[in-house]
Amino acid sequence: MRWRTTAWAAGALGLVLAGTVGLAPRALAADNPFERGPAPSNASVEARRGPFATSQTTVSRLAVSGFGGGTIYYPTSTSEGTFGAVAVAPGFTATQSSMAWLGPRLASQGFVIFTIDTITTSDQPSSRARQLLAALDYLTQSSSVRSRIDASRLGVMGHSMGGGGTLEAAIDRPALQAAIPLTPWNLVKSFSRMQVPTLIIGAESDSIASVRTHSEPFYESLPSGLDKAYLELNNASHFAPNSDNTTIAKFSISWLKRFVDNDTRYEQFLCPRPSVSTAISEYRDSCPHS
């Protein structure tokens, strides 16, 4: 069951805080055992690297089934416990290298990130959905880092057709904790059965998966009671997710922290809704989050 914040819990936490002013911040870690890392700031979520040192390991396509192998990025220390994990799929004709920048950037914030190759670069969204889920199963059941992962805290991300696959994977596996489609493309337009908190990131100047025919209809089709958000990158192209992008990183980190780690310290970056800026042309959100 997804961790929920209630008014009662918030009030109780306030009483606890009032009586424990002198305690170190980590003394309250038991209030949410999934918190990882220090309290965030705008600078920390925009930084190229977070507080965790990371390493990586390559997974050969010959060693797996159901997807095309990939690269796992993970925190080197488990002193704070296990981590949530996210599988990331590339877009049409692309390989994992197009999403590689996300690996160390997200892993250094306290996640295990698996950027995958698809079986063929022309695989359609439904196939990419199945491959994302196969990658998560490999990651949690067979990979060399499986002991570092909390298998109940998983998410999916993907670009273009990988983003379309992200939406389908979340529909197919509602136990996932978060989904982040990046400039997603899919011929399926309705995702009204979605139960997974979903952040859709579109690009204002996308001429391949225009926000008018893809990202916006996807967002509008999501259930009204779902934790959901839509971020439109200002004057950006379809390929914005293929290079280091601070806005994508900031909001992806915040969404994953909020819903994979149940870490309400990151709510501040999502709600109230960020204003239109040189980086963001539009932002919608179901604030406040449950």
Side-chain angles (χ1 to χ4, degrees), residues 61-111:
R61 66 171 55 239
L62 300 177
V64 300
S65 62
F67 66 105
T71 303
I72 304 171
Y73 303 84
Y74 59 94
T76 55
S77 172
T78 56
S79 62
E80 293 192 37
T82 55
F83 300 95
V86 183
V88 185
F92 185 66
T93 75
T95 66
Q96 61 161 318
S97 64
S98 66
M99 308 303 294
W101 71 273
L102 280 169
R105 190 153 186 174
L106 299 185
S108 67
Q109 295 285 348
F111 297 101

Side-chain angles (χ1 to χ4, degrees), residues 91 226 248:
L226 183 72
I248 291 175

Side-chain angles (χ1 to χ4, degrees), residues 46-75:
E46 291 187 351
R48 286 182 176 271
R49 292 293 181 272
F52 293 90
T54 65
S55 189
Q56 64 189 71
T57 185
T58 300
V59 178
S60 169
R61 66 171 55 239
L62 300 177
V64 300
S65 62
F67 66 105
T71 303
I72 304 171
Y73 303 84
Y74 59 94

Side-chain angles (χ1 to χ4, degrees), residues 15 57 81 90 112 169 182 212 214 235:
L15 292 174
T57 185
V112 175
L182 305 170
R212 183 178 62 82
H214 291 271
N235 197 33

Side-chain angles (χ1 to χ4, degrees), residues 4 196-199 219 222-230 255 258-259 267 270-274 283-290:
R4 300 292 185 185
V196 178
T198 301
L199 164 64
Y219 178 78
L222 297 174
S224 59
L226 183 72
D227 288 311
K228 60 180 181 177
Y230 169 69
W255 197 260
R258 177 63 182 83
F259 294 106
E267 181 82 353
L270 304 170
C271 300
R273 300 172 183 86
Y283 190 90
R284 311 177 203 176
D285 201 305
S286 60
C287 297
H289 296 126
S290 57

Side-chain angles (χ1 to χ4, degrees), residues 2-269:
R2 191 165 288 119
W3 199 82
R4 300 292 185 185
T5 301
T6 65
W8 180 89
L13 179 58
L15 292 174
V16 172
L17 290 172
T20 56
V21 173
L23 294 181
R26 298 307 299 177
L28 300 176
D31 294 321
N32 175 15
F34 304 137
E35 285 185 6
R36 299 291 181 266
S41 65
N42 194 65
S44 73
V45 292
E46 291 187 351
R48 286 182 176 271
R49 292 293 181 272
F52 293 90
T54 65
S55 189
Q56 64 189 71
T57 185
T58 300
V59 178
S60 169
R61 66 171 55 239
L62 300 177
V64 300
S65 62
F67 66 105
T71 303
I72 304 171
Y73 303 84
Y74 59 94
T76 55
S77 172
T78 56
S79 62
E80 293 192 37
T82 55
F83 300 95
V86 183
V88 185
F92 185 66
T93 75
T95 66
Q96 61 161 318
S97 64
S98 66
M99 308 303 294
W101 71 273
L102 280 169
R105 190 153 186 174
L106 299 185
S108 67
Q109 295 285 348
F111 297 101
V112 175
I113 304 297
F114 195 6
T115 58
I116 69 168
D117 278 319
T118 47
I119 296 171
T120 76
T121 58
S122 60
D123 290 336
Q124 297 298 295
S126 58
S127 174
R128 291 168 192 264
R130 293 189 294 271
Q131 293 182 58
L132 281 166
L133 298 180
L136 287 177
D137 291 342
Y138 170 81
L139 196 59
T140 57
Q141 298 170 19
S142 305
S143 76
S144 61
V145 301
R146 61 189 180 278
S147 64
R148 300 172 181 268
I149 299 169
D150 180 346
S152 69
R153 298 189 290 123
L154 305 176
V156 284
M157 297 179 68
H159 172 234
S160 191
M161 282 193 182
T166 294
L167 289 163
E168 294 196 32
I171 290 286
D172 292 342
R173 190 171 292 183
L176 294 175
Q177 300 296 295
I180 307 179
L182 305 170
T183 60
W185 187 100
N186 201 318
L187 293 177
V188 177
K189 301 302 179 186
S190 178
F191 295 92
S192 60
R193 295 187 295 110
M194 183 69 75
Q195 299 179 48
V196 178
T198 301
L199 164 64
I200 296 176
I201 298 181
E204 183 182 30
S205 301
D206 192 333
S207 60
I208 295 173
S210 73
V211 294
R212 183 178 62 82
T213 58
H214 291 271
S215 291
E216 289 181 330
F218 298 158
Y219 178 78
E220 292 301 324
S221 77
L222 297 174
S224 59
L226 183 72
D227 288 311
K228 60 180 181 177
Y230 169 69
L231 186 157
E232 187 172 296
L233 299 168
N234 189 33
N235 197 33
S237 80
H238 183 68
F239 301 102
N242 292 152
S243 58
D244 202 323
N245 184 297
T246 294
T247 303
I248 291 175
K250 174 181 180 177
F251 286 90
S252 296
I253 291 164
S254 299
W255 197 260
L256 295 174
K257 285 288 191 179
R258 177 63 182 83
F259 294 106
V260 173
D261 286 357
N262 302 317
D263 194 338
T264 56
R265 298 179 299 173
Y266 288 80
E267 181 82 353
Q268 62 182 299
F269 307 112

